[in-house]
Amino acid sequence: CFCSPARRPRVLGASMALFCALVVATVVAGVLGEPPHQQSQSLRGFAAADGSATAAGSDAPAPAPLLAEPADGAVTSHLDETTGAASVASGRVFAMPVDAPAKPADADSPGAVADVLGGTAAMEDNATGNGSVQTAGNTTLPPPWTTAEASEPMSLPDPDMFTFHVYRAQSWSTYPPKNVNAANLPGVMWYLQNEVVIGNPPKFGIARILRYTVTTKAPWELLKQGMHFGVRYAYDSQQCTGPGDCVSRYQRYGYFVGCNKFSSMYPFPTEPTNYADGVWYSFDGRGACVEPTGTADCTYSYKWPPEEITLDELTGGNASFWADPFDDNANARKVAAAARAFAAKYPAAPNLSDPVCDFDFWRFWH
């Protein structure tokens, strides 16, 4: 030894011998092992894709797995930068630094951790009431975060499904919207203006406007042609009367919901109406179901019973309400009055937008 008393002047004596012994002890400790807090830092690596661990500052994975794989498969680890503890996203297995207090693990315990970076550490899987874990060394670890696999799946809206209001001018008879025509609000107001209130009393015994909330989803064969709505068929006394052959189109596409914009002037009305935003629909009852799926026989659903206002509630019994049938502005005021009447009577009802009527003549028929 460089500080052997035999090679030093005797004047140092026992005092120098004691000093040298302390120096030797310090050097040996630095060579043979790093302080415990530095040893803990060496465990703060990251789990590799194969389950092995990469120590901080090193690119090479250690030969032993960091964590035992839980029953549900993939392991996701997170290393706490304060405690040096690693948590598994499943909430069942945790790894601790080898210098942390630990007691031997039962081989059958779900809390056992196998061979952490060549050492062995284990803890009991003692979950506390708030989801945290009490370790063998009486250290409480916070509950792990929730992984995407464990969370509720996010529900995304179906871009091919529409929920909206349709309206019918109807007598006091009550029946579901099957094998019928309906309209948006400008469409039903034009029908009333053009065909019903031209006589007194109103024609066909019509006394009220019904409002249905419907949900539609086009059948796949129609979607393939780039449309959510087919041709708007006419239904008279609940019988499909065209245009064209109803049977062959329904066989080809399924029982689609049909629509036509007044502005297209096909199939009807065939001339300007002064209700330019009007749309009519057709609903074949064979496509009605509880929740539309887009199969050939499940293309629309409706809420029952419908909401309604009477013609007297709309007009206040004033026949002049229907004046100026060829004035666009006057007709817009009539539509707005009907919307206000429904809103006043059903304030909790949702405000739904009309879908785009995307029926295309050429693609549908050819």
Side-chain angles (χ1 to χ4, degrees), residues 44-55 61 66-67 75-79 86:
R44 297 177 186 176
F46 295 89
D50 60 359
S52 62
T54 302
L66 175 63
L67 297 168
V75 174
T76 302
S77 65
H78 170 70
L79 299 185

Side-chain angles (χ1 to χ4, degrees), residues 203-288:
K203 292 178 63 175
F204 315 122
I206 288 175
R208 53 188 179 149
I209 303 173
L210 305 185
R211 182 171 74 179
Y212 294 93
T213 301
V214 299
T215 299
T216 67
K217 185 172 182 179
W220 174 241
E221 291 299 323
L222 192 63
L223 287 174
K224 286 197 300 184
Q225 302 301 320
M227 292 174 285
H228 294 90
F229 298 93
V231 68
R232 196 274 303 167
Y233 283 133
Y235 280 84
D236 295 320
S237 301
Q238 298 189 306
Q239 298 297 315
C240 183
T241 59
D245 178 26
C246 305
V247 174
S248 64
R249 294 294 105 175
Y250 282 141
Q251 287 177 341
R252 176 177 176 179
Y253 294 118
Y255 297 109
F256 55 83
V257 175
C259 75
N260 78 271
K261 297 180 288 188
F262 284 9
S263 58
S264 69
M265 292 186 282
Y266 174 83
F268 186 81
T270 57
E271 56 187 23
T273 63
N274 302 107
Y275 285 84
D277 295 329
V279 178
W280 278 1
Y281 300 96
S282 57
F283 296 89
D284 192 283
R286 290 167 291 185

Side-chain angles (χ1 to χ4, degrees), residues 149-217:
E149 292 79 9
S151 62
E152 289 293 327
M154 182 181 295
S155 179
L156 298 177
D158 187 336
D160 298 318
M161 187 175 291
F162 304 103
T163 298
F164 55 103
H165 293 311
V166 296
Y167 300 81
R168 276 185 55 78
Q170 197 158 307
S171 67
W172 294 110
S173 299
T174 300
Y175 46 87
K178 296 180 178 181
N179 304 318
V180 297
N181 294 117
N184 67 356
L185 194 52
V188 78
M189 292 296 288
W190 178 81
Y191 173 74
L192 288 167
Q193 178 91 71
N194 190 65
E195 298 191 31
V196 175
V197 298
I198 57 175
N200 188 18
K203 292 178 63 175
F204 315 122
I206 288 175
R208 53 188 179 149
I209 303 173
L210 305 185
R211 182 171 74 179
Y212 294 93
T213 301
V214 299
T215 299
T216 67
K217 185 172 182 179

